[in-house]
Amino acid sequence: MTEMTETASGWLSPEELESLRGRMPILYVDAVPVRVDDTGTVTHVGLLLRIAPDGTVSRALVSGRVLYHERVRDALLRHLEKDLGPVALPNLPPSPAPFTVAEYFPTPGVTPYHDPRQHAVSLAFIVPVRGDCRPRQDALDLVWFTPEEAASPMVQQEMTGGHGVLLKQALAHVGRLP
Amino acid sequence: MTEMTETASGWLSPEELESLRGRMPILYVDAVPVRVDDTGTVTHVGLLLRIAPDGTVSRALVSGRVLYHERVRDALLRHLEKDLGPVALPNLPPSPAPFTVAEYFPTPGVTPYHDPRQHAVSLAFIVPVRGDCRPRQDALDLVWFTPEEAASPMVQQEMTGGHGVLLKQALAHVGRLP
Amino acid sequence: MTEMTETASGWLSPEELESLRGRMPILYVDAVPVRVDDTGTVTHVGLLLRIAPDGTVSRALVSGRVLYHERVRDALLRHLEKDLGPVALPNLPPSPAPFTVAEYFPTPGVTPYHDPRQHAVSLAFIVPVRGDCRPRQDALDLVWFTPEEAASPMVQQEMTGGHGVLLKQALAHVGRLP
Amino acid sequence: MTEMTETASGWLSPEELESLRGRMPILYVDAVPVRVDDTGTVTHVGLLLRIAPDGTVSRALVSGRVLYHERVRDALLRHLEKDLGPVALPNLPPSPAPFTVAEYFPTPGVTPYHDPRQHAVSLAFIVPVRGDCRPRQDALDLVWFTPEEAASPMVQQEMTGGHGVLLKQALAHVGRLP
């Protein structure tokens, strides 16, 4: 999960946030962007192509931190707009309940999710998007995969920190796990 | 729940269907049409104004039978188009799991749901609609209510067979039960 | 899915049920028996070893038909007792919503689920069981698998009609898909 | 929500935690203890009788903070044992997904939930308990209510911060909202 401009919020300096990451769980959201047909069936899953600080290339879901005094669904919309651009037209789910909760631990192996920087607890949502996606910021590209491609070993091994498992859980939730 | 033209499907004559209603559970879908804002928050719930065979006026959710060899989501789309018209632009949920299951028993009191004609088991979904709704067939009108209005005693008492309870469950599911 | 003694219910003769299977969707329940630890984490999944009418051996989930005037949770309990014995002590979920809906079509390929005999729509539930399981009737044995074993190709290929996919969806739902 | 001995964890001093409450969302869990019958139907809901720091008496759900490097389900079990005692025998749900997410804002009116001390985001779970409940610490008593009683105005007005709404959402989720 890549952190961006949350210091712009003014509530926590980068140093303060850094200090907290090792002392309390940080609340995140993960979004799985999908294309659906007229009946709501998921036809494609969108993955971001990212370059991590250490230069390695990976595919990732949309994710980011929930800020102080920000509703979860506002955080979800903010991160979707940040990563997919302003005309993606995401259909946020009407229910506040995530389809799963991904617990990223700094210690590998406690859960399927891992984030060496922090203990992050992420509410994960599946979000149909209807418009054009134009990745911004540190995302190089957004590629749409069929469910079969998304669950394939080739795509799975390009995802890190447990995003591959989270993606398969999303496919299972919508009845499209191959 | 009002039955319409399923005999057009050719699989069951009206007499055969009538005979079956008292001998096995019949599969239905219920849809709660909603308006949502940009963040997915439900702002309004749509209720149909219906006149029952005995002349009484009531408000109802969209509902109907699932046909042989018809997918649940195809049945959902068919009944939404039948009741809301062809340009309602419903966003069917990507997950096949209903938010609840309403079991309509011919005997009152077994569950909160009641259908004197049959034992119907209905998969209930919340469906955001983006377009114009133009009720057709036996529906006189479609009226949008705020969550507060929808849960009010006045609207609740105009709903029969347990649709009022189902509506409150839908509001609870989207975090809008007053 | 194996049909047993539902004619004992007296509502439908075997001939009537046979005739209906090709003309309307039949309501089923599927149960995934699991063992959980103190924190609710799934540690094992229980699969039945069955011999199908044609003599082939396969592993299966607990499943069966919902009868007329029977609540879904009563059907679930009845089929669990039938397949796991009277002292399995299943903890049925408090919510009536299934974790997914499996649509078994007589035509292969419409959905991941297939039943050559009929169009069955099954509400699928994950059910922790605390007691001793003593398979009865046509089940030869019940074997407990770890999530990793259950999702392995060896076990998956012993499941038919889409039960392997349904099992993986259940593992994903409880956060244990490898 | 009442905070207790999280300083025993050693990760945050009370002063540090106090300082953080106004600067980032704090992760919580809420648990709705229920009694169920053999079919999983909820028959009763358990509410704690609490005395708040200002001396007012209120009824509350089980709730508390998730600590650093603690899994959500471990936090849930810890708070259940803290409030219901060591022999309550709670059946934690196998799925990590909460039935809803309650967002407690320090500003009233943003959501139905309110906590003047902080911005807390709480994952809410329904937890059947099978054993004896012996409230400890600051809880005076635990009282079991039928769904009808729990949703009644008398009980609802004894709950603060939105716990009454959360309780009704839980009843709706299990199909027992009157």
Side-chain angles (χ1 to χ4, degrees), chain A residues 30-49:
Chain A
D30 276 319
V32 183
V34 297
R35 295 284 195 199
V36 299
D37 69 15
D38 281 354
T39 69
T41 304
V42 169
T43 58
H44 293 85
V45 174
L47 295 177
L48 298 165
L49 189 64

Side-chain angles (χ1 to χ4, degrees), chain A residues 16 23 69 72 103 107 119, chain D residues 16 23 69 72 103 107:
Chain A
E16 285 174 310
R23 294 194 292 170
H69 219 283
V72 168
E103 303 180 67
T107 313
H119 174 199
Chain D
E16 284 174 312
R23 295 194 293 169
H69 219 282
V72 168
E103 305 180 66
T107 313

Side-chain angles (χ1 to χ4, degrees), chain D residues 135-169:
Chain D
R136 304 190 299 181
Q137 301 218 2
D138 64 337
L140 297 181
D141 201 2
L142 178 83
V143 183
W144 294 102
F145 294 96
T146 64
E148 291 71 25
E149 292 166 345
S152 70
M154 199 189 73
V155 171
Q156 284 285 312
Q157 73 189 11
E158 290 175 342
M159 306 188 80
T160 59
H163 269 196
V165 167
L166 188 55
L167 176 56
K168 286 198 287 184
Q169 289 189 349

